Each structure stands twice: as structure tokens, then as C-alpha cells.
Amino acid sequence: MRNLQSTEEFHDLTKGTPAVFMFTAGWCPDCRVIDPIMPDIEKTFPDYTFISVDRDQFIDLCIEQDIFGIPSFLAYSNGRETGRFVSKDRKTQAEIEGFISNLPK
């Protein structure tokens, strides 16, 4: 998973092919729990680009996107939001895969 470099990059990525943004932070214990499973999830869903968004680095973007709990996931494709899995709760691999599986193609 690559790291988001700028707010402009976020907006560019939302306009293209399907992308899943994972909002995270280094200090977040629930985020660290899912880090090791993300490579498997990425392999399961090769049609998606996965991008890690550091909540502390992009706090204004989080506010703009109504991301107030982490870890959270936001999906975009062709300029529109296709889904969000946003809460402060710990997420399991099955929950994350279920979220992505239910995104519109």
C-alpha cells in the first residue's frame, strides 16, 4: 500500500480507477492490528488501488471527508464516492473484505 503524498493527489486519485483509502495513524493501536492483513486484502482485490492516508498529516482532508474515527476506509471510482466504512471501531479482515466486496463496480 502506498502512502498519500498530498491533498491534490487524493483528489486526482478519486477521479480515476477504483481506489480504497485507508485512514490511519502511527499511534492508533487498532490500525496497527490491521496493517499485517492489508497485503492479503490488496491481493484479493487487484482491481483497486489502495492508499494509506496518515490522519495526522492530512487532518484537513479528514475533516473535509468526515473521517473522525480511525481506522476508516473510503472508496472512490470515477470521481464519485462508492462507499465508506468509517468508525472508531477495530475492523476485522472479514469486515474489510465484506466492505470492498459490496462496493459497486
Side-chain angles (χ1 to χ4, degrees):
M1 182 179 313
R2 68 185 227 213
N3 294 322
L4 185 68
Q5 300 300 311
S6 69
T7 301
E8 293 77 23
E9 181 187 27
F10 173 84
H11 291 292
D12 287 344
L13 289 167
T14 64
K15 296 174 186 169
T17 58
V20 175
F21 298 89
M22 177 181 152
F23 290 81
T24 184
W27 50 263
C28 168
D30 291 339
C31 300
R32 300 294 65 84
V33 167
I34 62 174
D35 279 346
I37 63 172
M38 287 310 297
D40 290 337
I41 292 172
E42 290 180 77
K43 287 178 191 169
T44 303
F45 299 96
D47 294 341
Y48 290 89
T49 302
F50 289 83
I51 302 99
S52 178
V53 181
D54 184 301
R55 174 226 178 254
D56 294 337
Q57 185 179 354
F58 293 101
I59 191 69
D60 290 338
L61 179 62
C62 290
I63 293 167
E64 172 189 313
Q65 297 297 317
D66 293 325
I67 306 292
F68 295 107
I70 54 173
S72 287
F73 295 86
L74 194 56
Y76 273 88
S77 181
N78 297 318
R80 67 180 184 89
E81 182 181 317
T82 56
R84 61 176 46 228
F85 187 14
V86 176
S87 72
K88 63 179 176 55
D89 299 328
R90 180 176 287 183
K91 283 126 181 103
T92 67
Q93 183 169 351
E95 289 172 330
I96 297 166
E97 289 177 347
F99 161 70
I100 298 169
S101 292
N102 289 316
L103 292 172
K105 296 270 178 181

